[in-house]
Amino acid sequence: MAADTLIHDFELPFQLYDVLDAEALCKHDKFSEHSVETFDAVLDTAQKMATNLFLPHNHIADKNEPQFDGHKVSMIDDVKVAFDAFRESGFIAGRYSFEDGGMQLPETVMTAVSAYFMSANPSTTAYPFLTAAAINVISHFANEELKNAFMPRMLTGEFTGTMALTEPHAGSSLADIKTTASPQPDGSYRLKGSKIYISGGEHELSDNIVHLVLAKIPGGPGGVKGISLFVVPKYRLNSDNSVGPRNDVQLAGLLHKLGYRGTTSTALTFGENNDCHGYLVGEPHFGLRYMFMMMNEARIGVGFGAAMIGYRGYLYSLDYAKDRTQGRIAPNNKPEDDATAIINHGDVKRMLLAQKAYTEGGMSLCLYGSNLIDRINTCEDEARKLDLQEMLDLLTPVLKAWPSEYGPKANDLGIQVLGGSGYTREYYSEQFWRDNRLNPIHEGTNGIQALDLSFRKIWQKNGLGLRVLQKEMQSDFAKVSTTQSAELVQALNPYLSELHEVLTHLTAVMQTEKAFTLTANAQAMMNIFSSIVVSWIWIRQASKAEQLLADTSDQQKQNYYKGKIQAAKYFIEWELPTVARDIQLLKTNNSTCVDMNNDWF
Amino acid sequence: MAADTLIHDFELPFQLYDVLDAEALCKHDKFSEHSVETFDAVLDTAQKMATNLFLPHNHIADKNEPQFDGHKVSMIDDVKVAFDAFRESGFIAGRYSFEDGGMQLPETVMTAVSAYFMSANPSTTAYPFLTAAAINVISHFANEELKNAFMPRMLTGEFTGTMALTEPHAGSSLADIKTTASPQPDGSYRLKGSKIYISGGEHELSDNIVHLVLAKIPGGPGGVKGISLFVVPKYRLNSDNSVGPRNDVQLAGLLHKLGYRGTTSTALTFGENNDCHGYLVGEPHFGLRYMFMMMNEARIGVGFGAAMIGYRGYLYSLDYAKDRTQGRIAPNNKPEDDATAIINHGDVKRMLLAQKAYTEGGMSLCLYGSNLIDRINTCEDEARKLDLQEMLDLLTPVLKAWPSEYGPKANDLGIQVLGGSGYTREYYSEQFWRDNRLNPIHEGTNGIQALDLSFRKIWQKNGLGLRVLQKEMQSDFAKVSTTQSAELVQALNPYLSELHEVLTHLTAVMQTEKAFTLTANAQAMMNIFSSIVVSWIWIRQASKAEQLLADTSDQQKQNYYKGKIQAAKYFIEWELPTVARDIQLLKTNNSTCVDMNNDWF
């Protein structure tokens, strides 16, 4: 495997066809034109484009971040070349219907497509992906007129999109945004306010930039209930929908980030000259609800990206560890013996196996999530559909937070495998690590994900999501027919019982003032729940690998399957048991953190 | 506390005088000229110099790293201004005798002095600190002629020093170095070879740079037993010891690092023109032994630096969390209520308390180690002295690895507290995080520390170090007279028993081929042992704080002591229990990592 391998050749086929049975989706009307062959053709295109046009400038873009001269944002040409190839391939519209000019591909396959691009170059990939996310919102909630005006050119990438939510003073607290939108006689609005951390908020890659802006219509309810959503283009459209004059959206400045440097991160000012035109999406005051309804997809995207940046760092350090020789291993440890490849040192092997477990675990977890969206979208039984939706809601904080916690951990281990080289900018490990540090922060910090899980998702609809998830797990475990995987199920079972005890305990606690301790202990809840979920995801992989191992005489495939089983063992033996600490903390309502007085720091 | 506070005002006095009783050192002849007053005067000078001359350019030096134009290395002027002030203060010679022009200060106090500089600006601090480390080696092992030639001007900082150990192909495997040193009729040597990652290897801060170079004298034994140590100056000395012509040491290039950018990291070529003069330190073939005899101090220095970079990140994020308002807390969580400072959110408070526990724990741990060196140096009972030396040897891998694992963890949490701001280079958290990432790598990677602990230090002299440590702990625990600290001792005790069970188990395993599993599981051993050691260090602090709390009516001191007790509780309730996993792994000789075949990745 070469240093520029984006994904192991067997990985996506294994995840898509063996673990998830993505082929089954083709039985549904929506995907009936598709087959394994068309999926593979799409993946093949993605792999080639990512390798040839995205990978080569990943490091160059990091060293040459976008510049703003007061008028225009400039960046290295490679970004536009890659972006244009991506949009010309039709990938931005990949999940949309044939009549919309799309490929009508399942989410499962689109996520697999994104794997290559996130592994190759997350910064350049952000531009089309943000556009796809904006389309997702507009397509669901905007009226026909607004859709017709903007969507077609967003689907082709002639227009790009952003999400303009955060404001400087409010941060994660969207209830406190101050941007206003005043209604005009013609039905449009005039916006006024400032936004910050708007990725892709300015650049010259497209003919127009379509900002989705959260703002308050004066006189509306306070807090989260008074927030509306607007389409605010960089250039207004003429009456024939051709690109018209500049709208009153100004770039206040570019932010200089630790990583992800190829993506512009902007501070934007709306309505400095009181002439910022915006168009309401859906109903007034429903803005935040719309955004949250599209949140599951966006959060899976962040989690999956974190897994992929971690995965690329894993492959990069694996390649180094196989090539680099240093020291000796008994019995060949005499000075005259040849030095050994560092992969043969136990502690290096441990760091590689941990990286594999974290990143392939995160990848498989998020593909499961994407596939769940497809299952929901193709489900004809309404009750079952609601059940699955509930499970997706429950899993979403895990899908976002777990890979964005463990992907960076993998990148940290990747640096350590390279040692001194890993600390220099002559190697790539440090960039992967810096890029991935964004993921625990954006799209809802991991602290917010832990609160969402602990205070809302677990209890939502009387715990329906958890019951559905449990059935899903039990059904998987019932199918485990192989020896090693059965042992892993045995090892996991006590933790499932513990989770139930913790939840029973918390059900009582939540009614008392001790519930407050959970604001500081939510991360413990996240640790327990996500470790169990990822263990299950690993058992799904190991069990399938064991079955396939028995059926193949291909040496390379055998090796690959054995690696899957070993990584599953690693996860369940080395990572899962750490939650014993978290179980204890929750069962005892540990109050050490909340008891810490501000003045004691 | 302002954003540029280097250390909480109460911290060093508490550590030095309350926890360590550094005043007792003044009873010994060597330190009899000193008192709490002279110690405080020295610390006061350090604090002012660090704040006024080191802190202001910490961020500027990061953004403007040293440049090499092919002839000369240039850097921002502030570095030389700070370096000159440091050397003129006499701090480089701080630990040396009055007759050597030093201040004859204990290691304990010198480490406390370093705390201010490491908090303010670790990159600029590296230049005088590397010089002090080189002096340490020369003063112990070089002959009088060599000492007289170089030491006086190193003590004043007119000459600076480096450690030139690592070679590009050999990395951590010093046995494999290829640099040669050929004896000459005049008793000097001619060196030939390449070194890499030599910090401070080139700059214009001093009149000369004294490299301590490991090299092999042809015909010597193979492996680690054939390595000798040489003084190799950038400029040779004339017969009157004045600075003479350029020696044949060439800068091959500067390395571009992730962090610690103010410190030049160099690739050096020795003897490109066959005219690199070097002078043997001590006896031939004893070079590595000399370096290792000075390793304890060097490793404590790295651990302490990691704790201090972590600590500064903690104070920085604490300041932000008290100032930044966002969201609301029940019962004041209506839209019209004022937003609350983020420190009031449970999860933010958890992240701050964790940072406090990691960094003040690491600081206190390393100060304990420095004080142990003073206790050894002033011990008049030879048997006791050997006991303490054994304990120091055992603790050294922990003193290096634990803070350099947990300091960076604190910096990671520091970024998370700042959220989006923490990801931008407009704030400092990301620099702290990048700077500290070096520490798990250099001066023996943390993987090597874990092996040193697991395969050597624990068993050395039949476990004498461990027995001495245990007595030291028991003696401390016997003195615990306060309620909360007594509960912490109760909580720690089962882990001490577990450690014994693990060691009894390993004693048997080490005789079998299963000992090989420990090469991959050494980190688990490090986790158990270091968590117990740090718990003890925290109990020492908490117990003292509880005593002092009872005796003071000063509100600020009360708050400070309560914070210490709470951080100790946090460590023992939230961090220590995670080692249950490691105990299990070792007791079962878990072989999952070593069983992973290279081809399965």
Side-chain angles (χ1 to χ4, degrees), chain A residues 145-154 159 207-210 231-247 277 279:
Chain A
E145 194 186 339
L146 210 48
K147 276 197 223 177
N148 290 337
F150 291 99
M151 254 187 67
R153 280 171 290 184
M154 293 179 79
F159 290 4
D207 299 339
N208 205 353
I209 302 176
V210 180
V231 160
V232 181
K234 174 179 171 184
Y235 295 101
R236 288 176 217 148
L237 300 187
N238 297 318
S239 54
D240 63 352
N241 275 343
S242 61
V243 175
R246 194 75 156 78
N247 199 5
H277 295 222
Y279 314 100

Side-chain angles (χ1 to χ4, degrees), chain B residues 211-224:
Chain B
H211 304 290
L212 285 174
V213 182
L214 288 180
K216 288 180 174 174
I217 300 171
V224 289

Side-chain angles (χ1 to χ4, degrees), chain A residues 48-124:
Chain A
K48 290 201 173 78
M49 193 188 303
T51 304
N52 298 331
L53 296 176
F54 281 71
L55 179 64
H57 72 279
N58 188 40
H59 202 52
I60 301 168
D62 178 66
K63 287 189 173 172
N64 301 276
E65 62 188 333
Q67 301 291 327
F68 179 47
D69 63 6
H71 300 283
K72 213 168 149 176
V73 169
S74 56
M75 58 181 79
I76 58 167
D77 294 339
D78 316 57
V79 178
K80 185 154 171 63
V81 173
F83 176 77
D84 283 347
F86 191 97
R87 68 182 202 80
E88 280 159 19
S89 72
F91 278 142
I92 298 177
R95 55 173 60 76
Y96 291 88
S97 66
F98 296 124
E99 67 243 35
D100 281 337
M103 301 187 200
Q104 215 154 313
L105 283 164
E107 282 298 318
T108 315
V109 176
M110 285 307 295
T111 301
V113 162
S114 79
Y116 288 111
F117 295 100
M118 290 307 294
S119 176
N121 187 330
S123 291
T124 295

Side-chain angles (χ1 to χ4, degrees), chain A residues 562-576:
Chain A
K562 285 177 184 170
K564 281 288 177 196
I565 298 162
Q566 203 69 6
K569 277 168 71 80
Y570 170 84
F571 192 81
I572 288 167
E573 293 166 4
W574 283 66
E575 301 293 334
L576 176 62

Side-chain angles (χ1 to χ4, degrees), chain B residues 451-470:
Chain B
L451 293 174
D452 182 40
L453 177 74
S454 305
F455 283 90
R456 192 173 358 195
K457 294 298 177 60
I458 282 181
W459 316 105
Q460 199 166 287
K461 298 209 177 149
N462 281 316
L464 173 60
L466 198 61
R467 289 195 299 280
V468 180
L469 174 64
Q470 220 170 339

Side-chain angles (χ1 to χ4, degrees), chain B residues 187-201:
Chain B
S188 73
Y189 289 76
R190 293 295 170 275
L191 279 87
K192 204 170 172 60
S194 299
K195 297 283 177 179
I196 198 167
Y197 306 132
I198 310 310
S199 296

Side-chain angles (χ1 to χ4, degrees), chain B residues 305-567:
Chain B
M308 292 314 304
I309 300 171
Y311 182 76
R312 174 119 161 78
Y314 155 58
L315 291 187
Y316 188 85
S317 69
L318 174 62
D319 190 67
Y320 184 91
K322 286 179 170 176
D323 186 58
R324 168 78 175 174
T325 59
Q326 208 175 291
R328 286 159 194 78
I329 303 275
N332 302 311
N333 50 2
K334 290 178 286 299
E336 60 272 25
D337 290 322
D338 282 341
T340 188
I342 62 170
I343 193 175
N344 295 313
H345 292 295
D347 193 58
V348 172
K349 196 166 269 190
R350 172 187 67 81
M351 293 193 282
L352 292 168
L353 187 53
Q355 289 181 70
K356 181 178 167 75
Y358 299 164
T359 61
E360 294 178 10
M363 208 191 300
S364 194
L365 172 71
C366 292
L367 281 166
Y368 181 90
S370 293
N371 188 246
L372 189 51
I373 294 176
D374 287 324
R375 288 166 64 195
I376 292 167
N377 289 343
T378 55
C379 185
E380 280 154 19
D381 173 343
E382 277 307 310
R384 176 68 178 155
K385 189 171 186 147
L386 285 175
D387 278 2
L388 293 177
Q389 183 65 49
E390 231 15 74
M391 179 167 78
L392 175 64
D393 280 358
L394 171 67
L395 285 174
T396 293
V398 176
L399 294 167
K400 193 274 168 176
W402 192 85
S404 67
E405 199 73 27
Y406 282 78
K409 268 189 217 258
N411 291 124
D412 184 72
L413 292 171
I415 290 178
Q416 198 67 18
V417 167
L418 268 77
S421 298
Y423 198 66
T424 67
R425 309 200 306 273
E426 278 77 13
Y427 290 81
Y428 296 168
S429 300
E430 61 90 26
Q431 184 189 343
F432 303 141
W433 187 65
R434 286 186 290 106
D435 284 350
N436 220 350
R437 187 62 187 81
L438 175 62
N439 287 313
I441 298 172
H442 71 159
E443 204 59 41
T445 65
N446 283 2
I448 286 175
Q449 303 302 326
L451 293 174
D452 182 40
L453 177 74
S454 305
F455 283 90
R456 192 173 358 195
K457 294 298 177 60
I458 282 181
W459 316 105
Q460 199 166 287
K461 298 209 177 149
N462 281 316
L464 173 60
L466 198 61
R467 289 195 299 280
V468 180
L469 174 64
Q470 220 170 339
K471 269 193 209 151
E472 190 98 349
M473 285 187 181
Q474 293 309 339
S475 144
D476 283 336
F477 296 155
K479 282 184 239 155
V480 169
S481 57
T482 51
T483 324
Q484 295 187 76
S485 303
E487 282 170 17
L488 297 178
V489 174
Q490 289 301 314
L492 176 59
N493 273 330
Y495 293 90
L496 282 166
S497 312
E498 287 283 6
L499 174 62
H500 275 272
E501 284 185 31
V502 166
L503 291 178
T504 305
H505 174 76
L506 285 183
T507 306
V509 168
M510 292 299 272
Q511 315 306 321
T512 73
E513 64 186 13
K514 281 185 191 158
F516 187 62
T517 60
L518 197 56
T519 64
N521 301 357
Q523 186 58 50
M525 186 68 235
M526 174 61 91
N527 291 345
I528 300 168
F529 185 64
S530 60
S531 295
I532 287 174
V533 166
V534 177
S535 295
W536 159 59
I537 289 290
W538 264 115
I539 288 170
R540 286 170 52 90
Q541 295 184 75
S543 161
K544 184 56 71 174
E546 268 198 284
Q547 290 164 22
L548 294 168
L549 181 61
D551 292 339
T552 186
S553 56
D554 179 317
Q555 182 71 46
Q556 284 194 305
K557 291 217 159 161
Q558 286 182 349
N559 285 336
Y560 175 79
Y561 297 137
K562 285 177 184 168
K564 282 287 175 195
I565 298 162
Q566 204 69 7

